[in-house]
Amino acid sequence: MENIKEKRQNFRDQALSRLGETRLNNYGSRMIVDEYNNSADIWVRFDNGNMVNCTWQSFVNGTVKDVYAKTLFGVGYIGEGKYRTSTNGALTPQYINWASMIARCYSKKWQEKIETYIGCSVAEEWHNFQNFAKFYDENYYSIDGERVELDKDILVKGNRVYSPETCVFVPKRINTILLSRKKSRGDLPIGVRINKTKKKYETLVNSPKGRIYIGVYDTPEEAFENYKIHKEAIIKSVADEYKDVIPEKVYNTLMSYSVKIDD
């Protein structure tokens, strides 16, 4: 009987000694032991107030994760829910799309390579991976032999914010024909370049079959007007090809798409 009492007392002493113990997990977040029931049942609290039930060993090893810690570029966090970042050691498509979106907006290295993403952001709702993953499952569709991408500015031209209201999934082929290439054309209108030999302005248009030469004109404005006619016709033609597979709102947007001189 005395031995049992001693064991109980030793356990109480151990529990008391471990309450309040503080460590950093492997992701740099501070953990505090708030409750110690036994070595297989403890509760730790993170600085943001989030509580996690775990084992003493995982606490000591630092493997306890705070799903609300903003571990992805100081913005994105996993959140609580059914969606997982990986399955059988492979990243899930939901996570790949989410992580890429966050990187485009908040990674300096990414923006050094592609400057068009400077100034872009992600709606706070999508900082939580669970929310984005739900949107992905409800809106993603596949097309045999083609890549389908998340797009932020087809529905709202010039949009700089990734959000549930502004984003859609579209075939890469559609994304490609809408590229404006502002950096390469300088101050000239979209689709226009200088013909140095003739000292005039010429226009070319990208199509699914390659670049099409339109002609040479005296002014950049005249060159643009001819570019606009051909570009809008190509966009409508491609939209018709995908009419049965893309979302109706994407189709309607493409069919009414207007190319502006400063696009």
Side-chain angles (χ1 to χ4, degrees):
M1 182 66 68
E2 189 64 30
N3 190 39
I4 294 176
K5 288 182 178 180
E6 289 180 2
K7 288 183 178 180
R8 288 176 177 172
Q9 185 59 46
N10 289 337
F11 173 79
R12 284 193 290 268
D13 292 343
Q14 183 185 64
L16 287 172
S17 68
R18 290 178 173 176
L19 282 176
E21 184 160 339
T22 301
R23 292 180 183 240
L24 292 179
N25 67 7
N26 296 335
Y27 311 93
S29 298
R30 192 167 69 116
M31 310 176 289
I32 302 173
V33 177
D34 257 21
E35 184 178 323
Y36 186 98
N37 299 312
N38 56 61
S39 61
D41 181 16
I42 74 171
W43 285 89
V44 299
R45 173 171 48 85
F46 289 91
D47 285 344
N48 59 12
N50 188 37
M51 301 284 292
V52 176
N53 182 241
C54 61
T55 67
W56 172 255
Q57 194 59 50
S58 61
F59 171 77
V60 172
N61 293 340
T63 57
V64 184
K65 293 182 180 180
D66 176 10
V67 295
Y68 288 99
K70 297 179 179 180
T71 55
L72 191 62
F73 298 106
V75 173
Y77 59 94
I78 302 305
E80 290 181 273
K82 68 178 183 178
Y83 295 101
R84 299 289 176 259
T85 60
S86 63
T87 302
N88 298 323
L91 295 176
T92 61
Q94 294 92 334
Y95 181 80
I96 291 172
N97 276 264
W98 177 74
S100 295
M101 173 185 68
I102 297 291
R104 287 194 289 274
C105 296
Y106 303 103
S107 167
K108 290 184 179 179
K109 288 185 177 180
W110 189 298
Q111 293 182 355
E112 285 174 359
K113 294 179 181 179
I114 309 177
E115 296 179 359
T116 53
Y117 288 110
I118 295 175
C120 291
S121 62
V122 177
E124 188 171 346
E125 178 182 354
W126 275 3
H127 292 185
N128 185 335
F129 166 65
Q130 300 297 321
N131 293 333
F132 177 83
K134 183 174 184 292
F135 174 89
Y136 180 97
D137 277 6
E138 292 175 350
N139 293 275
Y140 182 81
Y141 56 94
S142 60
I143 300 175
D144 289 342
E146 295 195 50
R147 179 176 174 178
V148 176
E149 302 175 324
L150 181 71
D151 180 272
K152 71 180 184 314
D153 50 17
I154 282 182
L155 296 182
V156 183
K157 186 185 286 189
N159 174 57
R160 310 284 285 168
V161 181
Y162 286 90
S163 73
E165 294 75 31
T166 58
C167 286
V168 287
F169 286 99
V170 297
K172 183 177 181 179
R173 186 180 173 205
I174 289 178
N175 251 345
T176 300
I177 65 170
L178 295 178
L179 290 177
S180 62
R181 306 185 189 279
K182 285 187 176 181
K183 185 177 180 180
S184 62
R185 73 173 190 258
D187 295 329
L188 291 171
I190 185 172
V192 178
R193 70 183 187 185
I194 296 176
N195 184 308
K196 294 181 180 179
T197 302
K198 297 182 179 181
K199 296 182 180 180
K200 292 188 177 183
Y201 300 92
E202 63 183 5
T203 185
L204 301 90
V205 62
N206 288 324
S207 77
K209 296 180 180 180
R211 302 189 81 183
I212 300 174
Y213 186 81
I214 305 301
V216 178
Y217 305 91
D218 292 328
T219 67
E221 292 77 17
E222 187 182 2
F224 165 73
E225 287 302 324
N226 283 275
Y227 169 83
K228 173 183 171 70
I229 293 169
H230 286 81
K231 187 68 174 183
E232 290 178 355
I234 289 172
I235 292 172
K236 290 177 173 62
S237 175
V238 172
D240 276 329
E241 288 184 46
Y242 286 93
K243 183 176 182 179
D244 295 333
V245 291
I246 60 177
E248 183 178 2
K249 58 185 176 182
V250 174
Y251 175 78
N252 291 336
T253 297
L254 294 176
M255 293 302 290
S256 61
Y257 196 91
S258 176
V259 179
K260 304 297 184 183
I261 197 168
D262 58 350
D263 278 352

mmCIF file of all heavy atoms in Angstrom, residues 92 125-126 159 169 201 208:
data_model
loop_
_atom_site.group_PDB
_atom_site.id
_atom_site.type_symbol
_atom_site.label_atom_id
_atom_site.label_comp_id
_atom_site.label_asym_id
_atom_site.label_seq_id
_atom_site.Cartn_x
_atom_site.Cartn_y
_atom_site.Cartn_z
ATOM 1 N N THR A 92 -0.451 17.320 -51.685
ATOM 2 C CA THR A 92 -1.761 17.285 -52.333
ATOM 3 C C THR A 92 -1.869 18.429 -53.339
ATOM 4 O O THR A 92 -1.212 19.471 -53.188
ATOM 5 C CB THR A 92 -2.890 17.434 -51.298
ATOM 6 O OG1 THR A 92 -2.751 18.709 -50.632
ATOM 7 C CG2 THR A 92 -2.821 16.323 -50.258
ATOM 8 N N GLU A 125 -9.007 35.482 -45.884
ATOM 9 C CA GLU A 125 -9.728 34.212 -45.788
ATOM 10 C C GLU A 125 -8.902 33.055 -46.320
ATOM 11 O O GLU A 125 -8.965 31.928 -45.822
ATOM 12 C CB GLU A 125 -11.042 34.321 -46.569
ATOM 13 C CG GLU A 125 -11.881 33.059 -46.592
ATOM 14 C CD GLU A 125 -13.139 33.230 -47.430
ATOM 15 O OE1 GLU A 125 -13.400 34.355 -47.891
ATOM 16 O OE2 GLU A 125 -13.857 32.226 -47.624
ATOM 17 N N TRP A 126 -8.099 33.332 -47.347
ATOM 18 C CA TRP A 126 -7.292 32.284 -47.968
ATOM 19 C C TRP A 126 -5.904 32.141 -47.363
ATOM 20 O O TRP A 126 -5.114 31.318 -47.814
ATOM 21 C CB TRP A 126 -7.196 32.530 -49.470
ATOM 22 C CG TRP A 126 -8.362 31.961 -50.215
ATOM 23 C CD1 TRP A 126 -9.456 31.331 -49.687
ATOM 24 C CD2 TRP A 126 -8.559 31.965 -51.635
ATOM 25 N NE1 TRP A 126 -10.327 30.949 -50.682
ATOM 26 C CE2 TRP A 126 -9.795 31.330 -51.888
ATOM 27 C CE3 TRP A 126 -7.824 32.464 -52.707
ATOM 28 C CZ2 TRP A 126 -10.293 31.165 -53.184
ATOM 29 C CZ3 TRP A 126 -8.318 32.304 -53.999
ATOM 30 C CH2 TRP A 126 -9.545 31.658 -54.221
ATOM 31 N N ASN A 159 -7.206 42.987 -61.642
ATOM 32 C CA ASN A 159 -7.304 42.632 -60.236
ATOM 33 C C ASN A 159 -5.963 42.154 -59.689
ATOM 34 O O ASN A 159 -5.220 41.434 -60.355
ATOM 35 C CB ASN A 159 -8.353 41.513 -60.051
ATOM 36 C CG ASN A 159 -8.396 41.000 -58.633
ATOM 37 O OD1 ASN A 159 -8.619 41.765 -57.692
ATOM 38 N ND2 ASN A 159 -8.175 39.713 -58.463
ATOM 39 N N PHE A 169 -10.600 28.815 -62.082
ATOM 40 C CA PHE A 169 -9.632 27.921 -62.713
ATOM 41 C C PHE A 169 -9.869 27.955 -64.216
ATOM 42 O O PHE A 169 -11.005 27.853 -64.676
ATOM 43 C CB PHE A 169 -9.784 26.502 -62.175
ATOM 44 C CG PHE A 169 -9.259 26.335 -60.770
ATOM 45 C CD1 PHE A 169 -10.119 26.360 -59.678
ATOM 46 C CD2 PHE A 169 -7.904 26.181 -60.547
ATOM 47 C CE1 PHE A 169 -9.635 26.230 -58.389
ATOM 48 C CE2 PHE A 169 -7.406 26.047 -59.265
ATOM 49 C CZ PHE A 169 -8.271 26.070 -58.174
ATOM 50 N N TYR A 201 5.018 51.448 -87.461
ATOM 51 C CA TYR A 201 4.560 50.607 -86.358
ATOM 52 C C TYR A 201 3.888 49.356 -86.914
ATOM 53 O O TYR A 201 3.051 49.444 -87.814
ATOM 54 C CB TYR A 201 3.589 51.383 -85.465
ATOM 55 C CG TYR A 201 4.224 52.615 -84.861
ATOM 56 C CD1 TYR A 201 4.129 53.853 -85.505
ATOM 57 C CD2 TYR A 201 4.942 52.543 -83.680
ATOM 58 C CE1 TYR A 201 4.728 54.984 -84.984
ATOM 59 C CE2 TYR A 201 5.545 53.671 -83.141
ATOM 60 C CZ TYR A 201 5.441 54.876 -83.791
ATOM 61 O OH TYR A 201 6.041 55.986 -83.268
ATOM 62 N N PRO A 208 -3.458 30.504 -80.709
ATOM 63 C CA PRO A 208 -3.135 29.126 -80.340
ATOM 64 C C PRO A 208 -2.192 28.441 -81.328
ATOM 65 O O PRO A 208 -1.498 27.479 -80.982
ATOM 66 C CB PRO A 208 -4.506 28.444 -80.322
ATOM 67 C CG PRO A 208 -5.462 29.546 -80.017
ATOM 68 C CD PRO A 208 -4.908 30.737 -80.736
#
